[in-house]
Amino acid sequence: ETGVTQSPTHLIKTRGQQVTLRCSSQSGHNTVSWYQQALGQGPQFIFQYYREEENGRGNFPPRFSGLQFPNYSSELNVNALELDDSALYLCASSSTQGAYGYTFGSGTRLTVV
Amino acid sequence: DQQVKQNSPSLSVQEGRISILNCDYTNSMFDYFLWYKKYPAEGPTFLISISSIKDKNEDGRFTVFLNKSAKHLSLHIVPSQPGDSAVYFCAAKEYGNKLVFGAGTILRVKS
């Protein structure tokens, strides 16, 4: 069974630009969650998608948005990038809406300059 | 406002000895607690969990203890092995689907 894959692995963007990060969920998993991990901190919950609908959101502004597709893969979009958006973005999939049994991807390292 | 705190940024332990990683929380509504391990360039991997209605859960070399009155949990690794060297995150689940993570503790097991 394949795990969670994220692309790209690394990305450099300029302040004010927009970025799209992608995630393929583990086979059999229908729920995808996104987390932001800033340097020296633990992952922070951005939002979760279940059946193509946003199903819970953390304390992030509306310029952070997402999509889930019928094959359960997902995108995270960030508009008007700020320097503080520089972080590791982690995608996690699970087979239920709960937080049990998360499988995390290796993440996308975003640097905003 | 940090609801989950790991006050020790790092811990160094000799191979074969016990490693004890600690975590404190403030939100009494948390109903489930998890520990994750993270190696560089990899995502966090689930290690062990405990429900708020229990005070201990054991899985091989790993044991998690929960003290609800003190809002404290700890992860014990016995015996510690060099391959256990990683960042360990404590996480808590509220009602719903979100995990709240601590900042992590870097464990180094010396051989």
Side-chain angles (χ1 to χ4, degrees):
Chain A
E1 106 192 330
T2 57
V4 176
T5 56
Q6 293 186 242
S7 62
T9 54
H10 294 85
L11 199 54
I12 300 175
K13 288 286 190 178
T14 303
R15 189 172 50 182
Q17 284 188 313
Q18 178 265 345
V19 69
T20 297
L21 310 181
R22 294 178 174 83
C23 172
S24 294
S25 59
Q26 181 170 310
S27 175
H29 285 183
N30 57 11
T31 302
V32 173
S33 302
W34 286 91
Y35 285 79
Q36 179 197 66
Q37 186 182 5
L39 201 60
Q41 297 182 23
Q44 281 197 297
F45 178 74
I46 303 175
F47 43 54
Q48 182 182 86
Y49 278 82
Y50 172 68
R51 291 186 175 177
E52 302 176 54
E53 297 282 335
E54 188 179 288
N55 179 40
R57 188 178 182 93
N59 189 25
F60 281 81
R63 59 189 185 83
F64 285 77
S65 63
L67 283 173
Q68 186 181 31
F69 300 100
N71 66 354
Y72 306 126
S73 66
S74 177
E75 285 182 356
L76 165 65
N77 300 291
V78 187
N79 293 322
L81 283 166
E82 301 176 0
L83 297 179
D84 284 350
D85 296 333
S86 295
L88 179 68
Y89 288 84
L90 293 162
C91 170
S93 72
S94 59
S95 57
T96 65
Q97 294 179 65
Y100 318 104
Y102 270 3
T103 300
F104 280 91
S106 298
T108 294
R109 172 72 63 187
L110 172 66
T111 303
V112 182
V113 297
Chain B
D1 177 28
Q2 274 189 292
Q3 297 187 77
V4 177
K5 291 184 184 180
Q6 294 177 256
N7 291 318
S8 298
S10 63
L11 176 67
S12 187
V13 170
Q14 199 67 35
E15 181 181 6
R17 298 290 191 98
I18 184 171
S19 295
I20 300 176
L21 297 99
N22 293 303
C23 178
D24 296 297
Y25 63 95
T26 57
N27 188 341
S28 56
M29 298 302 293
F30 289 145
D31 62 356
Y32 204 76
F33 301 90
L34 307 91
W35 285 92
Y36 282 83
K37 179 167 75 172
K38 187 179 185 301
Y39 293 118
E42 293 184 15
T45 55
F46 170 75
L47 199 55
I48 192 169
S49 63
I50 188 167
S51 166
S52 60
I53 63 173
K54 296 192 174 181
D55 55 18
K56 178 182 174 182
N57 188 27
E58 192 171 353
D59 184 2
R61 297 186 297 116
F62 303 92
T63 303
V64 57
F65 295 92
L66 174 62
N67 183 333
K68 280 187 69 176
S69 60
K71 293 191 176 69
H72 177 84
L73 67 156
S74 60
L75 173 68
H76 292 210
I77 306 174
V78 182
S80 301
Q81 299 173 353
D84 296 329
S85 298
V87 180
Y88 288 78
F89 291 101
C90 169
K93 191 184 85 67
E94 280 185 288
Y95 175 81
N97 48 30
K98 147 184 147 175
L99 288 180
V100 181
F101 283 85
T105 296
I106 300 169
L107 174 64
R108 180 172 166 240
V109 180
K110 297 176 289 186
S111 55

